Amino acid sequence: MDKKLQKRLALSLVMLFFTVFSTLAQVTTSSMSGVVKDGKGDASIGATVKAVHVPSGTVYSSQTNVDGRFFIANMRTGGPYTLEVSYIGYQPQKFTGINLLLGETYKITATLSSSDKLLNEVVVTAQGSKLNNNKTGASTNVSTEQLTVLPTISRSVTDFTRLTPQANGNGFAGRDGRYNNLQIDG
């Protein structure tokens, strides 16, 4: 290789090196992760984790997974933050004065203690639906009274299909008119 080509190649590699590292340095947020356990050391699955950035009031929240772990990404840097961990049947645990560093993950472990409060019973009741279960999609019914009162421009059925939000000319819900069902009774 000649010297000009070597210099160009070296300059290109240096530029590539600086470009890669300058793009990696564009982190503008922080994150928080941790583990939530109960008093026995078991994972608290589904515990609620809420972090509040005190100066702005911005709220970040997450729930723990099957291992009792949580992760909250894209948080404002700085602080102070207040972190509250809660779970049904346990006393909530609160952490204050947390400051996040740029591009780093703040790690925390929370151990929840059992609450002395007795939870009330929850009773769920249900009734049968009055809807027709045989229908497979959205529908609009235009009554005889509406047909007599509504204005029509071209005496076409499309004048009345404009009443449904799903209609757009010949099609419904974004589908071609050949795949829709339009029934006229009378």
Side-chain angles (χ1 to χ4, degrees):
M1 275 202 234
D2 66 341
K3 291 215 179 226
K4 271 189 169 179
L5 185 61
Q6 286 179 342
K7 283 184 181 181
R8 282 187 176 172
L9 184 60
L11 182 62
S12 297
L13 287 174
V14 169
M15 294 297 286
L16 179 65
F17 177 77
F18 283 118
T19 304
V20 168
F21 280 104
S22 67
T23 57
L24 292 176
Q26 300 301 319
V27 176
T28 60
T29 60
S30 288
S31 59
M32 190 178 291
S33 71
V35 180
V36 180
K37 298 180 179 183
D38 62 9
K40 299 175 189 173
D42 295 331
S44 295
I45 302 168
T48 302
V49 180
K50 184 172 87 170
V52 179
H53 185 249
V54 176
S56 67
T58 306
V59 178
Y60 303 91
S61 63
S62 180
Q63 286 191 331
T64 57
N65 63 11
V66 294
D67 298 324
R69 299 186 181 281
F70 71 91
F71 183 75
I72 305 173
N74 300 322
M75 298 176 74
R76 288 176 176 238
T77 57
Y81 276 91
T82 301
L83 180 74
E84 184 174 343
V85 181
S86 60
Y87 193 63
I88 295 174
Y90 292 88
Q91 294 177 356
Q93 190 171 13
K94 198 172 202 177
F95 301 92
T96 58
I98 298 172
N99 287 304
L100 302 180
L101 300 175
L102 179 65
E104 293 190 16
T105 302
Y106 186 87
K107 297 182 181 182
I108 194 161
T109 301
T111 304
L112 300 175
S113 59
S114 182
S115 177
D116 296 334
K117 293 182 181 178
L118 183 63
L119 298 175
N120 294 332
E121 178 180 321
V122 176
V123 178
V124 178
T125 59
Q127 292 180 330
S129 174
K130 293 182 180 180
L131 297 176
N132 183 354
N133 294 335
N134 296 327
K135 290 188 179 182
T136 58
S139 67
T140 302
N141 293 323
V142 182
S143 67
T144 306
E145 293 85 25
Q146 288 176 313
L147 286 174
T148 58
V149 177
L150 290 171
T152 178
I153 298 170
S154 61
R155 297 186 51 84
S156 170
V157 73
T158 57
D159 290 338
F160 302 111
T161 60
R162 291 184 190 142
L163 296 175
T164 183
Q166 295 89 5
N168 63 346
N170 293 332
F172 294 92
R175 303 268 324 249
D176 189 329
R178 295 175 290 178
Y179 299 107
N180 292 301
N181 181 10
L182 174 64
Q183 295 179 350
I184 304 170
D185 182 20

